[in-house]
């Protein structure tokens, strides 16, 4: 699903429908100010304080399927967002489940990479 032309990734209608069905609500489409833009290249990094959430670090792109949403988990940082990220190659989580091609990632596990929508 990565757009090799450097433009934003187009969201998959099938993925969106499936996720909205599971969540029981529509995904947000209003992008928060200051959030990474759809199509931004990112590196998914491992946590510093535990062995996860993924087996290895890898790259992907912020997916336009749904806008970043506030992370309401009890261990979330104040103002932390969660992003839909499509992986360059399928990945397994720290528990060995997967491989996954896309996931909802907490922004503390994302690092911006060159090559996104605003960089050559």
């Amino acid at each position: 699903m990565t757009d090799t032309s450097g433009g934003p990734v187009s969201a998959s209608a099938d993925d969106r429908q499936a996720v909205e069905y599971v969540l029981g609500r529509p995904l947000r489409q209003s992008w928060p100010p200051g959030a990474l833009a759809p199509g931004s290249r990112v590196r998914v990094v491992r946590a510093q304080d535990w062995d996860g959430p993924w087996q290895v670090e890898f790259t992907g792109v912020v997916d336009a399927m749904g806008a970043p949403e506030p992370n309401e988990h009890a261990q979330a940082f104040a103002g932390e967002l969660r992003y839909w990220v499509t992986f360059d190659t399928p990945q397994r989580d720290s528990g060995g489940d997967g491989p996954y091609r896309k996931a909802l990632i907490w922004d503390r596990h994302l690092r911006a990479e060159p090559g996104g929508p605003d960089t050559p």
Side-chain angles (χ1 to χ4, degrees):
M1 182 180 288
T2 301
D3 180 354
T4 57
S5 69
V9 173
S10 57
S12 164
D14 290 340
D15 284 354
R16 182 179 309 184
Q17 276 187 314
V19 169
E20 289 177 340
Y21 179 80
V22 170
L23 293 176
R25 64 171 175 82
L27 290 174
R28 296 179 188 190
Q29 296 302 308
S30 177
W31 225 260
L36 293 168
S40 294
R41 298 283 311 150
V42 292
R43 173 168 296 280
V44 179
V45 300
R46 293 172 52 82
Q48 295 180 1
D49 57 343
W50 65 287
D51 190 26
W54 300 93
Q55 290 184 352
V56 297
E57 292 189 5
F58 55 91
T59 55
V61 65
V62 173
D63 195 295
M65 180 177 78
E69 297 186 2
N71 188 346
E72 296 174 356
H73 191 278
Q75 295 176 346
F77 297 149
E80 186 169 26
L81 296 173
R82 301 178 307 161
Y83 290 84
W84 287 102
V85 176
T86 298
F87 308 150
D88 291 345
T89 57
Q91 300 294 323
R92 293 190 180 277
D93 66 18
S94 60
D97 293 329
Y100 300 101
R101 62 182 176 83
K102 180 188 297 188
L104 192 57
I105 309 287
W106 294 17
D107 67 8
R108 73 178 77 179
H109 300 295
L110 296 177
R111 301 294 177 267
E113 291 272 306
D118 297 328
T119 59

